[in-house]
């Protein structure tokens, strides 16, 4: 676009004209909208945990945005998970955070190539994996709230072994969460002292949904994972979590169900 400005105008007129043009075309610095981009790997400012961040389309500063924390399965394909949710997000206004947690599966994680932690960080992790993840997610959220306008409470989701991490958060810190979807989740009591489950009042109405694809044979009734899920739900209900249920997703198998998860979280905002 070419803009011609007559030289016989006063400097004040020229300045006003330029400002009007900037506003008219949405080019004012404070109105610049964020363009879609691949998830970016970041490190929390007050904690060594790393995470992939993806801002929604048309993100702008100066307003609040809902945050979804995505916990990957034992496959630990963090970037793949972050990308799947970014692709499924469409025009939904979610900031997506995929932390490189270590509590989502077995203990032989230090050799997994999708991690980028230094030896000193691994030493810190060994002294308390869940503390590392829990404190790390808190630090990430502090940055996202401060730097990107994220809402204080977050949504959280994860597939299968991510259930170890997600149930750990829900049973220890339900007051930090706005809603949760666990997809065919594991639960073996890891990171949870079942005699010390949170009594925070927020737990009572916290929406916790377990999604199961109707074609997910790994999570069919009677299977080990299904039994683990039922055990976690029974434990939650026994400790005052009153909004816990199972949703069957027609035609889906053992997968992240990113679109269905985000659609559910969007319904909680209405």
């Amino acid at each position: 676009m070419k803009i011609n400005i007559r030289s016989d105008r006063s400097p004040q007129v020229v300045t006003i004209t330029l400002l009007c043009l900037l506003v008219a075309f949405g080019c004012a610095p404070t109105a610049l909208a964020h363009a879609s981009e691949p998830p970016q790997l970041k490190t929390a400012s007050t904690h060594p945990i790393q995470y992939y961040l993806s801002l929604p389309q048309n993100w702008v500063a100066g307003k609040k945005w809902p945050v979804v924390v995505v916990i990957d399965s034992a496959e630990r394909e963090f970037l793949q998970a972050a990308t799947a949710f970014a692709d499924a997000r469409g025009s939904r206004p979610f900031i997506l955070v995929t932390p490189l947690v270590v509590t989502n599966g077995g203990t032989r994680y230090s050799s997994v190539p999708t991690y980028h932690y230094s030896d000193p960080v691994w030493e810190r992790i060994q002294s308390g994996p869940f503390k590392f993840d829990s404190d790390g997610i808190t630090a990430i959220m502090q940055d996202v709230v401060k730097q990107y306008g994220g809402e204080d409470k977050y949504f959280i989701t994860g597939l299968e072994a991510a259930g170890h991490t997600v149930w750990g958060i829900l049973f220890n810190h339900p007051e930090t969460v706005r809603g949760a979807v666990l997809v065919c989740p594991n639960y073996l009591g890891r990171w949870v002292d079942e005699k010390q489950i949170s009594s925070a009042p927020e737990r009572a109405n916290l929406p916790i949904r377990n999604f199961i694809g109707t074609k997910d044979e790994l999570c069919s009734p009677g299977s080990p994972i299904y039994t683990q899920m039922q055990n976690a739900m029974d434990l939650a209900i026994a400790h005052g979590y009153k909004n816990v249920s199972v949703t069957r997703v027609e035609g889906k198998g053992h997968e992240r169900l990113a679109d269905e998860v985000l659609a559910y979280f969007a319904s909680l905002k209405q």
Side-chain angles (χ1 to χ4, degrees), residues 21 27-28 67 106 124 150 216 225 243:
L21 286 168
C27 296
V67 182
R124 176 171 175 172
D216 188 349
I225 297 180
N243 194 0

Side-chain angles (χ1 to χ4, degrees), residues 1-6 17-18 21-22 25:
M1 178 180 67
K2 183 177 181 181
I3 301 175
N4 294 317
I5 301 175
R6 289 175 52 190
T17 302
L18 284 171
L21 286 168
L22 285 170
F25 287 99

Side-chain angles (χ1 to χ4, degrees), residues 135-168:
D135 290 351
I137 291 173
T138 297
I140 291 169
M141 285 302 301
Q142 289 172 346
D143 285 353
V144 171
V145 169
K146 182 178 180 180
Q147 298 173 18
Y148 304 103
E151 295 177 348
D152 293 329
K153 292 189 176 186
Y154 56 88
F155 298 104
I156 190 168
T157 186
L159 168 66
E160 197 182 295
H164 298 304
T165 306
V166 178
W167 281 119

Side-chain angles (χ1 to χ4, degrees), residues 56-259:
Q57 295 177 12
N58 300 319
W59 177 91
V60 292
K63 60 179 291 187
K64 285 291 187 180
W65 300 85
V67 182
V68 175
V69 174
V70 178
I71 307 297
D72 197 33
S73 68
E75 299 298 323
R76 293 181 164 90
E77 294 290 350
F78 301 106
L79 179 56
Q80 185 182 97
T83 302
F85 273 83
D87 291 344
R89 176 177 52 198
S91 61
R92 299 181 183 110
F94 296 115
I95 296 175
L96 300 175
V97 168
T98 306
L100 276 62
V101 298
V102 297
T103 53
N104 52 335
T107 59
R108 300 180 64 182
Y109 42 70
S110 61
S111 61
V112 176
T114 51
Y115 289 115
H116 310 281
Y117 294 134
S118 64
D119 289 341
V121 174
W122 283 119
E123 291 177 7
R124 176 171 175 172
I125 289 169
Q126 293 300 324
S127 67
F130 185 72
K131 179 174 174 55
F132 178 87
D133 285 354
S134 179
D135 290 351
I137 291 173
T138 297
I140 291 169
M141 285 302 301
Q142 289 172 346
D143 285 353
V144 171
V145 169
K146 182 178 180 180
Q147 298 173 18
Y148 304 103
E151 295 177 348
D152 293 329
K153 292 189 176 186
Y154 56 88
F155 298 104
I156 190 168
T157 186
L159 168 66
E160 197 182 295
H164 298 304
T165 306
V166 178
W167 281 119
I169 295 292
L170 296 177
F171 283 139
N172 287 285
H173 303 292
E175 71 282 356
T176 66
V177 180
R178 185 170 180 178
V181 173
L182 301 98
V183 183
C184 187
N186 286 116
Y187 178 75
L188 293 173
R190 296 175 185 171
W191 328 121
V192 178
D193 182 346
E194 295 187 357
K195 297 180 180 179
Q196 299 292 328
I197 289 176
S198 176
S199 60
E202 293 88 344
R203 79 194 188 287
N205 297 317
L206 176 62
I208 301 174
R209 297 293 178 272
N210 295 270
F211 280 13
I212 301 175
T214 57
K215 295 183 178 180
D216 188 349
E217 296 180 357
L218 290 177
C219 214
S220 59
S223 69
I225 297 180
Y226 187 90
T227 301
Q228 291 178 29
M229 180 190 72
Q230 283 294 149
N231 291 340
M233 293 176 61
D234 291 344
L235 183 66
I237 292 169
H239 284 80
Y241 293 72
K242 299 178 181 180
N243 194 0
V244 184
S245 65
V246 176
T247 297
R248 299 189 180 279
V249 183
E250 190 65 35
K252 296 293 185 176
H254 195 68
E255 52 192 286
R256 296 185 179 96
L257 302 179
D259 185 62

